[in-house]
């Protein structure tokens, strides 16, 4: 793939990309990194012809060649014929990108149907793609729908859909965002194998550790322009541009600066023997949370880590009362509001409402004003008039935190609150959460697949596997001397902390 002088302007946003030059050779992985709002995702969509026909969009380029085809003046029909065959896209937002009414098999097989693959061949190719994307029990997943899968499983379905057509160029927009360390390592291993087999890969990511593992070269974007480019080693060891240095320095490192002592305060949440089961197609049942005990004390942060599908998000929904356990009890010695900060804030907002209405509804007549709530999370009052879709990822997450604070909760349950954010925005959100915890005397349950992030914020840690807690203890003690084999595997697969 070769691009030169790419300029993209979007209605209501202005110039998003300005003079971008980029090449990806066969058998090469090129990573595109940059802060939130740099234009990374717009670049990914443009390279598949997805911005050309947007109302008010202006796309111009001196060179746009994909697998030897000049696409500068390609029609929408020609782009449709190219997508899935010569070039494929792995989207960042699995929850918004998958059709909630379609089965996994229908979703992944769509590319094959569009390109005329006989129906008799499709299932075998879909199963192979699901297995390559590390989705467990692919035969069972065929009949499931996205709402029945964890966030990480949905992400792997998107990866399978991109792989199934055998494209020569793969554009991967944050492909490991929702994945735990062990699965992310396997997916990155898959990308490495595809690269070694001659596929060209453009990896759009905020995960600099993923870049170090799989990329050959790095392109750094800031405000739509390429500000630095070079080999992975050169960019990591001696970055020249301030944006590049900021991205490198924001990678989570080290422990929580002021960890709490062993918990002794009032109990804000106590779950005993919590169990939650779901029905699968065909009448089978799966146990998502299996006999879990959890206690959260005032002013402490309890971290929960584990593989995708280990039951972390289900446990979060039980703690906030969004679901009821099939067995076990949940209570507190000091009752008070409990609120959730979701993994996907955009999916949790009513798209017809602006921020002011979202916050006013959450606070009620006697709660704090929307302006006060925005000030609490470091956003300007101008954000009140905007719809959620017009906010950056970091702004959406801050609005989700403000909405949770509207009830003046004693306990915040944070379900992957920074997984989709670039490292600099991630750092800002983590700092905000810890500041609110200290200032408001909050307790938090912090769920993440990223051990480095959990270490940075948590006093105690629970490690989950297959719905059960396999290890627990003070965070630094568990990470320094893990007793359970799975915990040791999780630590080994994680980037250096």
């Amino acid at each position: 793939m070769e691009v030169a002088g790419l300029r993209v302007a979007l209605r209501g946003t202005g110039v998003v990309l300005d003079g971008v030059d980029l090449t990806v050779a066969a058998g090469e992985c090129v990573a595109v990194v940059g802060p939130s709002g740099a234009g990374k995702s717009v670049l990914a969509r443009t390279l598949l012809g997805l911005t050309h026909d947007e109302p008010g969009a202006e796309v111009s380029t001196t060179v746009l060649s994909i697998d030897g085809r000049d696409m500068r003046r390609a029609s929408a029909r020609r782009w449709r014929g190219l997508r899935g065959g010569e070039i494929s896209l792995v989207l960042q937002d699995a929850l918004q990108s998958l059709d909630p009414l379609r089965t996994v098999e229908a979703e992944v097989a769509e590319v094959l149907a569009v390109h005329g693959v006989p129906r008799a061949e499709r299932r075998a190719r879909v199963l192979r793609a699901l297995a390559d994307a590390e989705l467990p029990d692919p035969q069972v997943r065929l009949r499931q729908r996205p709402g029945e899968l964890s966030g990480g499983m949905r992400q792997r379905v998107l990866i399978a859909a991109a792989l199934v057509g055998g494209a020569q160029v793969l554009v991967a927009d944050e492909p490991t965002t929702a994945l735990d360390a062990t699965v992310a390592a396997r997916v990155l291993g898959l990308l490495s194998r595809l690269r070694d087999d001659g596929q060209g890969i453009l990896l759009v990511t905020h995960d600099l550790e993923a870049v170090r593992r799989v990329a050959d070269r790095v392109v750094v974007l800031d405000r739509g322009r390429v500000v630095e480019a070079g080999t992975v080693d050169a960019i990591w060891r001696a970055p020249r541009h301030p944006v590049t240095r900021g991205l490198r320095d924001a990678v989570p490192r080290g422990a929580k600066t002021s960890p709490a002592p062993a918990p002794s305060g009032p109990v804000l949440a106590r779950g005993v023997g919590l169990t939650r089961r779901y029905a699968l197609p065909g009448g089978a049942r799966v146990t998502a949370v299996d006999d879990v005990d959890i206690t959260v004390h005032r002013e402490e942060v309890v971290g929960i880590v584990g593989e995708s599908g280990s039951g972390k998000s289900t446990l979060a929904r039980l703690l906030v009362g969004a679901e009821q356990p099939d067995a076990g009890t949940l209570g507190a010695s000091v009752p008070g509001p409990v609120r959730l900060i979701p993994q996907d804030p955009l999916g949790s907002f009513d798209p017809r409402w602006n921020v002011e209405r979202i916050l006013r509804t959450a606070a009620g007549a006697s709660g704090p004003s929307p302006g006060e709530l925005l000030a609490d999370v470091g956003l300007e009052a101008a954000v009140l008039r905007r719809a959620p879709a017009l906010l950056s990822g970091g702004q959406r997450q801050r609005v989700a935190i403000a909405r949770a604070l509207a009830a003046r909760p004693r306990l915040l349950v944070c379900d992957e609150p920074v997984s989709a954010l670039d490292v600099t925005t991630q750092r800002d959100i983590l700092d905000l959460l810890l500041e609110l915890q200290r200032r408001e005397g909050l307790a938090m349950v912090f769920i993440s697949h990223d051990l480095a992030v959990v270490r940075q914020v948590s006093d105690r840690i629970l490690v989950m596997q297959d719905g059960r807690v396999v290890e627990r203890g003070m965070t630094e003690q568990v990470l320094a001397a893990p007793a359970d084999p799975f915990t040791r595997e999780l630590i080994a697969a994680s980037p250096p902390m």
Side-chain angles (χ1 to χ4, degrees), residues 42-91:
V42 173
L43 173 63
R45 296 202 308 273
T46 302
L47 294 177
L48 281 97
L50 296 174
T51 58
H52 294 65
D53 295 326
E54 290 184 13
E58 299 177 7
V59 180
S60 62
T61 179
T62 56
V63 177
L64 179 52
S65 174
I66 297 173
D67 198 24
R69 293 166 171 81
D70 185 352
M71 301 299 292
R72 285 176 297 173
R73 298 175 182 84
S75 64
R77 181 177 181 179
R78 192 176 174 207
W79 274 113
R80 285 196 299 271
L82 197 75
R83 289 194 288 267
E86 281 72 28
I87 185 170
S88 284
L89 173 66
V90 180
L91 286 164

Side-chain angles (χ1 to χ4, degrees), residues 209-349:
E209 291 297 341
V211 170
R212 295 179 72 187
R213 293 187 190 192
V214 72
D216 301 297
R217 293 188 293 114
V218 184
V219 173
V220 184
L221 276 185
D222 182 45
R223 300 179 185 179
R225 291 180 172 271
V226 176
V227 296
E228 190 164 359
T231 65
V232 172
D233 187 65
I235 292 292
W236 183 263
R237 292 181 181 277
R240 300 187 306 275
H241 196 275
V243 167
T244 314
R245 291 195 294 271
L247 290 170
R248 185 195 61 177
D249 295 344
V251 173
R253 291 282 188 269
K256 188 177 181 182
T257 54
S258 55
S264 58
V267 174
L268 300 184
R270 176 181 284 118
V272 179
L274 295 176
T275 300
R276 185 73 172 102
R277 303 182 185 93
Y278 297 105
L280 292 176
R285 293 178 68 82
V286 62
T287 302
V289 172
D290 189 2
D291 194 27
V292 167
D293 296 340
I294 181 172
T295 302
V296 185
H297 298 258
R298 187 171 66 187
E299 297 184 8
E300 75 164 340
V301 181
V302 177
I304 301 178
V305 297
E307 290 182 311
S308 171
S310 63
K312 305 186 300 295
S313 292
T314 301
L315 180 58
R317 292 193 294 271
L318 293 174
L319 291 174
V320 300
E323 296 188 21
Q324 297 302 309
D326 295 300
T329 59
L330 181 65
S333 60
V334 180
V338 179
R339 289 295 181 268
L340 176 72
I341 299 174
Q343 178 179 3
D344 175 37
L346 184 60
S348 71
F349 296 140

Side-chain angles (χ1 to χ4, degrees), residues 184-194 214:
R186 291 196 288 269
V187 169
L188 292 174
L190 169 62
L191 294 179
S192 295
R193 292 194 299 275
L194 294 171
V214 72

Side-chain angles (χ1 to χ4, degrees), residues 319-394:
L319 291 174
V320 300
E323 296 188 21
Q324 297 302 309
D326 295 300
T329 59
L330 181 65
S333 60
V334 180
V338 179
R339 289 295 181 268
L340 176 72
I341 299 174
Q343 178 179 3
D344 175 37
L346 184 60
S348 71
F349 296 140
D350 188 325
R352 300 167 299 177
W353 292 5
N354 62 17
V355 170
E356 181 175 15
R357 185 173 180 185
I358 290 169
L359 297 181
R360 193 175 299 282
T361 301
S366 59
S369 71
E372 291 172 319
L373 290 169
L374 280 192
D376 283 343
V377 298
L379 288 177
E380 298 178 353
V383 173
L384 289 171
R385 296 186 295 274
R386 297 182 192 168
L390 299 180
L391 302 178
S392 70

